[in-house]
Amino acid sequence: MDNSNNVDISRITDSMKPPEFRIQKLQDFFAYTLPLTKNNEQYLMIEQIDKRQSNTIHYYVIDDGITVIGRFDIGYSELDYGITYHIVDEFQNRGIGQIALKFVVGQLFNKYGATRIRILAINDRSRSIAQKSGFRRKTEKLYELSATEFQRDRSKENELEER
């Protein structure tokens, strides 16, 4: 659900690094409410196409309506997309990364028409989130999910929900 009209982006604080990827307060955005985490917490997701860097999209996870607690940086070439992500330390192990990654992956396949998504998972937590989200390990740090695999996994999830 896009609720951009209800979000005052000028109030959002972002101290994540690197600073050049921080939320752009004067730029267009879309806002979405993420599903509940395993701890019944709910967060806001802001999506911005980076006008300073071509072929780049950023997704920001917002807590309390005003603080960036995570970021998903997407680069793409044609229909191949790459993701790097980070959730700030005090918000890790709450299911936020997995919920947010599933949302971003759905956006990239459904809204942007991605045919393949790759993740550069730089630590054990990132690798675990990638695997739980259906990505296949290609190398020690590289994980991949195709549109076909994504649709197949969604079909399986829908079948289980119908039972």
Side-chain angles (χ1 to χ4, degrees):
M1 173 208 283
D2 173 14
N3 58 0
S4 301
N5 294 332
N6 301 328
V7 175
D8 183 357
I9 198 167
S10 68
R11 295 185 60 227
I12 294 175
T13 58
D14 185 353
S15 57
M16 291 190 71
K17 294 179 182 176
E20 60 268 18
F21 289 165
R22 290 183 181 156
I23 199 162
Q24 297 298 302
K25 296 183 181 187
L26 300 176
Q27 189 172 312
D28 293 339
F29 67 96
F30 294 98
Y32 306 92
T33 302
L34 291 173
L36 292 173
T37 66
K38 63 184 178 185
N39 297 334
N40 286 325
E41 299 170 325
Q42 196 157 45
Y43 297 90
L44 185 67
M45 178 73 86
I46 301 286
E47 170 190 359
Q48 284 188 321
I49 296 172
D50 195 328
K51 294 193 190 270
R52 299 161 304 165
Q53 283 189 261
S54 63
N55 300 339
T56 304
I57 306 167
H58 302 288
Y59 287 89
Y60 304 91
V61 182
I62 312 295
D63 180 41
D64 67 24
I66 61 168
T67 306
V68 175
I69 60 157
R71 188 178 65 231
F72 290 72
D73 300 315
I74 291 83
Y76 61 94
S77 173
E78 296 186 24
L79 299 178
D80 283 342
Y81 288 69
I83 301 175
T84 58
Y85 50 90
H86 179 71
I87 303 295
V88 297
D89 291 345
E90 56 267 26
F91 286 89
Q92 292 184 6
N93 297 317
R94 296 166 120 177
I96 300 166
Q98 191 173 350
I99 291 287
L101 179 60
K102 283 185 178 184
F103 176 83
V104 169
V105 165
Q107 289 286 99
L108 297 179
F109 282 126
N110 297 324
K111 181 177 179 180
Y112 291 99
T115 57
R116 178 177 56 190
I117 299 173
R118 291 181 172 167
I119 290 177
L120 180 60
I122 59 172
N123 58 41
D124 289 340
R125 285 187 177 138
S126 293
R127 288 188 277 278
S128 176
I129 291 169
Q131 289 175 326
K132 289 177 183 177
S133 299
F135 283 77
R136 289 180 295 108
R137 183 177 176 173
K138 300 297 276 182
T139 67
E140 181 182 346
K141 294 181 179 181
L142 183 65
Y143 289 76
E144 183 177 285
L145 181 64
S146 71
T148 304
E149 293 164 328
F150 172 76
Q151 293 302 333
R152 184 191 65 227
D153 291 347
R154 292 290 172 182
S155 295
K156 287 179 185 177
E157 287 176 12
N158 289 339
E159 285 177 19
L160 290 174
E161 288 175 7
E162 290 175 2
R163 290 182 187 174

